[in-house]
């Protein structure tokens, strides 16, 4: 089942902050975050493993609450280069015994000057 | 530099035709994946493979087929049974350690004419 991302879209001015949420109805092994620019491939930002830890990447960080099956991506002091669509991917174990990522529908972020 | 190469970048298919999308990686990754992306839908898993000569159906495998004869290669065939094949197709790979997330190819945009 697809994780639910919110909001669907965000418009920011340069320097403002944003939070993107991702929630799942299934137990999670990990959560991945990716950013995709228009017409390009998604680029990996970070992975959050079980343990509720917070990870950081430049001015972008994320948290993972495994009990609530939720993750949040925090973008602080946004830059023009942050514009794009952000996807969370939740790692789930399949009947095959292997795990794969199920992606949310994405959150479109537009940062304006 | 290591990466994933998808070809062709654009592909046009006539009704009733089978077409094959190429995906090659030189990252020495074991796991490879095919996702389909439609506007507003996120990425949906078609097929995945964790080892050579073995692959599993994802969430939307009907009308598609794959092979994994070599570790580096994971081609996807879109058959005439796929009724709505127009989409952006992304191939991805991941190492066993998974901390580096998925590496995506640049994608193939398939259009039915």
């Amino acid at each position: 089942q697809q994780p639910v991302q919110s909001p669907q879209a965000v418009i920011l001015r340069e320097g403002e902050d944003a939070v993107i949420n991702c929630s799942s109805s299934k137990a999670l092994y990990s959560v991945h975050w990716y950013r995709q620019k228009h017409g390009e491939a998604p680029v990996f930002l970070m992975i959050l493993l079980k343990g509720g830890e917070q990870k950081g990447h430049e001015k972008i960080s994320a948290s993972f609450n495994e009990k609530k099956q939720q993750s949040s991506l925090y973008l602080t002091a946004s830059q023009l280069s942050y514009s794009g669509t952000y996807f969370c991917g939740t790692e789930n174990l399949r009947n095959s015994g292997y795990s794969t990522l199920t992606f949310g529908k994405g959150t479109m972020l537009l940062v304006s000057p | 530099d290591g990466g994933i190469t998808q070809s062709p970048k654009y592909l046009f298919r006539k009704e009733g035709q089978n077409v094959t999308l190429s995906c090659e990686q030189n990252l020495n990754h074991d796991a490879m994946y095919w996702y389909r992306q439609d506007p507003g839908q996120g990425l949906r898993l078609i097929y995945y493979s964790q080892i050579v000569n073995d692959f599993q159906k994802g969430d939307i495998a009907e009308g598609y087929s794959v092979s994994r004869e070599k570790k580096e290669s994971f081609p996807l065939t879109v058959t005439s049974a796929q009724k709505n094949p127009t989409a952006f197709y992304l191939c991805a790979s991941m190492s066993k350690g998974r901390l580096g997330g998925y590496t995506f190819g640049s994608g193939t945009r398939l259009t039915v004419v």
Side-chain angles (χ1 to χ4, degrees):
Chain A
Q1 197 160 358
Q2 238 178 346
V4 178
Q5 285 187 236
S6 63
Q8 288 186 322
V10 184
I11 300 176
L12 298 175
R13 288 198 181 274
E14 217 173 350
E16 291 182 337
D17 303 339
V19 180
I20 299 171
N21 299 303
C22 174
S23 63
S24 174
S25 58
K26 300 175 79 170
L28 303 176
Y29 288 86
S30 71
V31 178
H32 295 215
W33 285 96
Y34 294 80
R35 176 172 61 210
Q36 184 180 31
K37 304 274 186 178
H38 183 69
E40 299 180 7
V43 173
F44 173 70
L45 295 176
M46 66 189 75
I47 179 173
L48 285 300
L49 303 175
K50 278 187 173 182
E53 61 183 290
Q54 189 151 348
K55 295 201 70 174
H57 179 80
E58 297 175 347
K59 292 180 183 176
I60 301 173
S61 61
S63 63
F64 177 28
N65 187 325
E66 62 188 87
K67 284 186 180 177
K68 291 187 177 181
Q69 294 162 187
Q70 293 176 344
S71 178
S72 294
L73 184 71
Y74 307 95
L75 301 104
T76 57
S78 59
Q79 305 168 12
L80 296 176
S81 61
Y82 286 5
S83 293
T85 300
Y86 289 78
F87 292 97
C88 69
T90 54
E91 183 181 0
N92 305 113
L93 187 64
R94 291 188 174 254
N95 292 336
S96 63
Y98 297 118
S99 63
T100 63
L101 292 185
T102 302
F103 289 90
K105 292 187 177 182
T107 295
M108 196 179 308
L109 177 73
L110 176 62
V111 181
S112 61
Chain B
D1 281 337
I4 296 185
T5 301
Q6 286 188 243
S7 62
K9 193 172 175 68
Y10 299 96
L11 186 58
F12 297 91
R13 192 194 93 166
K14 293 182 180 178
E15 295 279 355
Q17 209 177 35
N18 292 354
V19 291
T20 298
L21 284 58
S22 171
C23 177
E24 303 276 334
Q25 55 104 353
N26 61 1
L27 298 164
N28 199 34
H29 286 173
D30 292 298
M32 296 188 74
Y33 311 85
W34 274 105
Y35 283 87
R36 168 181 171 142
Q37 187 173 30
D38 297 281
Q41 294 300 315
L43 289 76
R44 292 182 291 167
L45 182 64
I46 305 172
Y47 268 97
Y48 60 103
S49 168
Q50 300 286 338
I51 55 174
V52 175
N53 292 322
D54 189 36
F55 47 82
Q56 286 75 36
K57 292 181 179 180
D59 300 316
I60 55 165
E62 186 175 348
Y64 300 98
S65 66
V66 293
S67 63
R68 186 88 187 272
E69 297 176 0
K70 299 186 300 182
K71 187 175 182 177
E72 301 79 19
S73 179
F74 192 40
L76 174 75
T77 296
V78 184
T79 74
S80 56
Q82 171 48 239
K83 297 307 176 190
N84 185 22
T86 295
F88 189 48
Y89 290 87
L90 287 161
C91 179
S93 70
M94 187 170 69
S95 67
K96 272 185 183 171
R98 78 194 217 288
L99 294 181
Y102 281 11
T103 300
F104 283 90
S106 55
T108 292
R109 190 165 298 279
L110 174 63
T111 304
V112 173
V113 295

